[in-house]
Amino acid sequence: MTRPVIGVIGNARLIDSRFPAQIVGENNMRAVAAVAGALPLMFAAVPAITDLGDLLDTVDGVLLTGGRANVHPARFNTEPCAAHEPYDEDRDAVALPLIEACVARGVPLFGICRGFQEMNVAFGGSLHPEIRDLPGRLNHRMPRLENGEIHPDLELIFADRHEVRLAPGGTFARLLERETIRVNSLHGQGILEPGGRIVVEGIAEDETVEAIRVRDAADFALGVQWHAEHDPATNPINRALFEAFGAAAATRHRARTAGRA
């Protein structure tokens, strides 16, 4: 195989209220294939199905996608609340140790939205269940109609909604060749306290954390709160992120291939 393989985590979904399934948004797969230049391989976010050692022996990178379910508050020592459901505890049980394993083994890791939040929790950080409830914060959730239904216009839903200030000289600023960007916003939870190895490199205009890296990671280990998978074919910011992720996976793939020769 000439292309690197990037594992894309699944999300639990109940089909027709009775059939358990694992799903991945197609935009994630397209971003990996068309922009990162890799083969996307979905894996189940179910600990009884997915062996992390076997997974990391198979893939050259891991993409932690967004998802409707929140990270369970017990993972950061907070009481759960029905208002903040649904939760996906199987995904928590796979994603959190997987993040640590990726960083320990030097496997390129890219976290988006929920994946970004999982990265923070994996290294001891905490989340707020509704960032918009904090004083002075924006409503970061997706636009809705007056009747509460999700707005039908996808272009409006995924439109850039606020600026992000990047740390001067940081990984994101160097990669994106600028210190201010504009991004979309479709999330409820957000970072409250950064984890021990989490370096904050991007802050929204309301001080919400938007971009992070893992300190002293041997390879690509970045997370973004916005949905970078939506438009990387046309958005230069998101394209640069997926291209860099793909390049890191390709480097690992070449090294692994050479080791088998």
Side-chain angles (χ1 to χ4, degrees), residues 56-88:
L56 294 183
D57 286 342
T58 302
V59 303
D60 302 294
V62 169
L63 177 64
L64 298 173
T65 67
R68 181 168 176 265
N70 286 328
V71 178
H72 197 280
R75 294 289 182 170
F76 44 93
N77 300 316
T78 301
E79 288 296 318
C81 174
H84 303 136
E85 295 176 355
Y87 301 120
D88 186 347

Side-chain angles (χ1 to χ4, degrees), residues 46-234:
V46 181
I49 297 174
T50 298
D51 180 275
L52 298 189
D54 288 345
L55 174 66
L56 294 183
D57 286 342
T58 302
V59 303
D60 302 294
V62 169
L63 177 64
L64 298 173
T65 67
R68 181 168 176 265
N70 286 328
V71 178
H72 197 280
R75 294 289 182 170
F76 44 93
N77 300 316
T78 301
E79 288 296 318
C81 174
H84 303 136
E85 295 176 355
Y87 301 120
D88 186 347
E89 294 189 69
D90 275 346
R91 173 158 166 167
D92 297 342
V94 171
L96 300 185
L98 175 59
I99 290 164
E100 295 183 273
C102 282
V103 173
R105 292 178 56 162
V107 177
L109 174 69
F110 189 19
I112 291 176
C113 199
R114 178 185 163 112
F116 159 94
Q117 295 161 8
E118 289 167 335
M119 289 174 69
N120 187 56
V121 173
F123 290 106
S126 63
L127 305 175
H128 192 281
E130 277 293 349
I131 284 292
R132 63 182 173 177
D133 290 345
L134 293 174
R137 299 298 180 96
L138 301 170
N139 180 1
H140 288 263
R141 285 194 174 273
M142 70 173 66
R144 291 180 179 269
L145 301 174
E146 290 185 3
N147 63 5
E149 293 182 0
I150 295 173
H151 200 286
D153 186 347
L154 284 179
E155 290 304 312
L156 187 149
I157 287 175
F158 286 97
D160 291 343
R161 291 174 58 195
H162 61 73
E163 289 189 348
V164 173
R165 304 186 310 274
L166 302 176
T171 300
F172 281 88
R174 293 196 304 271
L175 177 61
L176 302 177
E177 298 182 329
R178 63 194 76 187
E179 293 182 1
T180 303
I181 60 175
R182 288 191 62 82
V183 301
N184 58 46
S185 189
L186 296 89
H187 65 101
Q189 279 189 323
I191 289 180
L192 185 60
E193 294 293 335
R197 290 187 64 179
I198 296 299
V199 178
V200 175
E201 288 208 1
I203 301 287
E205 55 205 61
D206 67 347
E207 303 304 317
T208 296
V209 178
E210 293 279 340
I212 60 174
R213 67 176 172 86
V214 179
R215 180 181 287 108
D216 299 327
D219 214 314
F220 189 106
L222 304 181
V224 298
Q225 180 62 84
W226 67 90
H227 282 266
E229 84 285 0
H230 170 64
D231 57 357
T234 57

